């Protein structure tokens, strides 16, 4: 059973993809790490970024966290506030 | 008090909010847009945030500071949008009974913001632009 998750993009990830959110198809019980793999496949230009973290529902997520269809997912490139 | 705003930061208003009859020390840190970085002339900075998470991460930092130091009042204000040279991008304010706690807490808050809060700045030069920290 395939489902898709919408991923919010900010900063350099938005510039590199040209989009502020992208849809990624994932198998059921997919984890954050699978999402990252899929995103890198869809957008090889993301490899230019020093590091990429993922937030799920506004909290930093580990790569083994399982995603559910209603999750709000965001890609977090290196932060530079202040 | 945690604020993410597109409006200019009012330092005087922040100071008024920090004041307390028990406070013997008030530290205010301002992060300001300067006109150069690594010998390149900066025209402006463009800040963006993942709003909901930026606010919750800043709240976490404020909560941790409250646990580590005896803080009477604490304010964090961070700007978004286009900022010109000389504008204040971030204000951290801490009021404590004694100065050492105010200095330490203030420094902890700004240093941690730079590490964990999903806010991004783009440096716009006279001859190009770059997202800070993004590249290897």
């Amino acid at each position: 059973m395939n489902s898709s998750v919408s991923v919010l993009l900010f900063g350099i990830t938005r510039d590199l993809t040209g989009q502020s959110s992208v849809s990624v198809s994932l198998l059921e019980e997919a984890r954050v790490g699978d999402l990252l793999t899929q995103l890198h496949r869809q957008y090889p230009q993301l490899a230019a970024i020093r590091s990429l973290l993922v937030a799920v529902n506004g909290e930093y997520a580990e790569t083994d966290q399982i995603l559910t269809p209603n999750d709000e997912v965001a890609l977090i490139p290196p932060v530079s506030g202040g | 008090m945690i604020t993410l705003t597109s409006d200019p930061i009012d330092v005087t208003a922040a100071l008024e909010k920090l004041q307390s009859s028990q406070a013997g020390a008030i530290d205010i840190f301002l992060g300001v847009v300067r006109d150069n970085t690594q010998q390149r002339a900066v025209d402006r900075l463009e800040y963006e945030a993942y709003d909901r998470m930026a606010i919750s991460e800043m709240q976490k930092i404020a909560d941790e500071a409250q646990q580590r130091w005896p803080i009477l009042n604490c304010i964090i204000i961070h700007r978004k949008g286009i900022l010109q040279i000389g504008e204040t991008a971030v204000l951290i304010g801490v009021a404590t009974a004694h100065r050492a706690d105010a200095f330490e807490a203030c420094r902890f808050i700004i240093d941690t913001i730079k590490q964990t809060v999903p806010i991004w700045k783009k440096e716009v030069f006279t001859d190009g632009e770059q997202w800070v920290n993004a590249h290897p």
Side-chain angles (χ1 to χ4, degrees):
Chain A
M1 171 67 201
N2 264 11
S3 65
S4 71
V5 66
S6 171
V7 181
L8 301 171
L9 302 176
F10 300 95
I12 191 169
T13 58
R14 196 193 54 242
D15 278 6
L16 287 174
T17 59
Q19 299 173 80
S20 55
S21 97
V22 294
S23 181
V24 180
S25 289
L26 291 168
L27 296 170
E28 211 167 334
E29 302 268 293
R31 293 171 193 269
V32 165
D34 302 324
L35 172 80
L36 279 169
T37 304
Q38 190 63 27
L39 276 167
H40 277 287
R41 203 173 293 149
Q42 261 172 267
Y43 302 98
Q45 60 270 43
L46 293 175
I49 305 173
R50 189 163 55 86
S51 73
L52 276 179
L53 297 172
V54 174
V56 179
N57 302 321
E59 297 283 341
Y60 285 108
E62 299 289 337
T63 52
D64 63 357
Q65 183 170 330
I66 293 174
L67 295 164
T68 62
N70 296 325
D71 286 338
E72 181 176 293
V73 180
L75 208 46
I76 310 288
V79 300
S80 51
Chain B
M1 194 192 83
I2 311 290
T3 310
L4 186 64
T5 179
S6 301
D7 302 324
I9 293 174
D10 184 339
V11 179
T12 308
L15 176 56
E16 281 171 11
K17 288 199 177 74
L18 285 164
Q19 279 162 333
S20 147
S21 58
Q22 298 153 6
I26 294 178
D27 267 42
I28 291 182
F29 169 83
L30 303 180
V32 182
V33 180
R34 68 174 183 275
D35 67 359
N36 72 89
T37 181
Q38 293 161 345
Q39 278 104 47
R40 287 184 82 181
V42 170
D43 178 67
R44 64 184 184 272
L45 294 182
E46 296 180 4
Y47 283 87
E48 70 173 72
Y50 179 16
D51 291 22
R52 68 174 276 198
M53 186 175 172
I55 290 164
S56 66
E57 289 293 322
M58 287 193 283
Q59 188 63 58
K60 280 184 199 172
I61 296 166
D63 292 347
E64 186 177 344
Q66 297 271 9
Q67 285 174 358
R68 290 175 59 176
W69 292 276
I71 292 173
L72 298 164
N73 290 315
C74 174
I75 291 183
I76 303 174
I77 308 171
H78 206 300
R79 277 285 296 274
K80 291 194 307 179
I82 296 171
L83 274 76
Q84 306 297 333
I85 291 154
E87 284 197 277
T88 299
V90 60
L91 177 150
I92 314 294
V94 179
T96 59
H98 305 288
R99 71 184 180 282
D101 291 329
F103 278 122
E104 285 172 24
C106 200
R107 174 145 206 169
F108 164 79
I109 291 167
I110 184 61
D111 287 355
T112 313
I113 282 174
K114 287 176 167 282
Q115 291 165 353
T116 64
V117 177
I119 295 175
W120 298 275
K121 67 175 163 245
K122 182 195 263 180
E123 292 164 333
V124 181
F125 306 108
T126 42
D127 59 343
E129 54 183 42
Q130 70 177 17
W131 290 100
V132 176
N133 291 344
H135 295 288

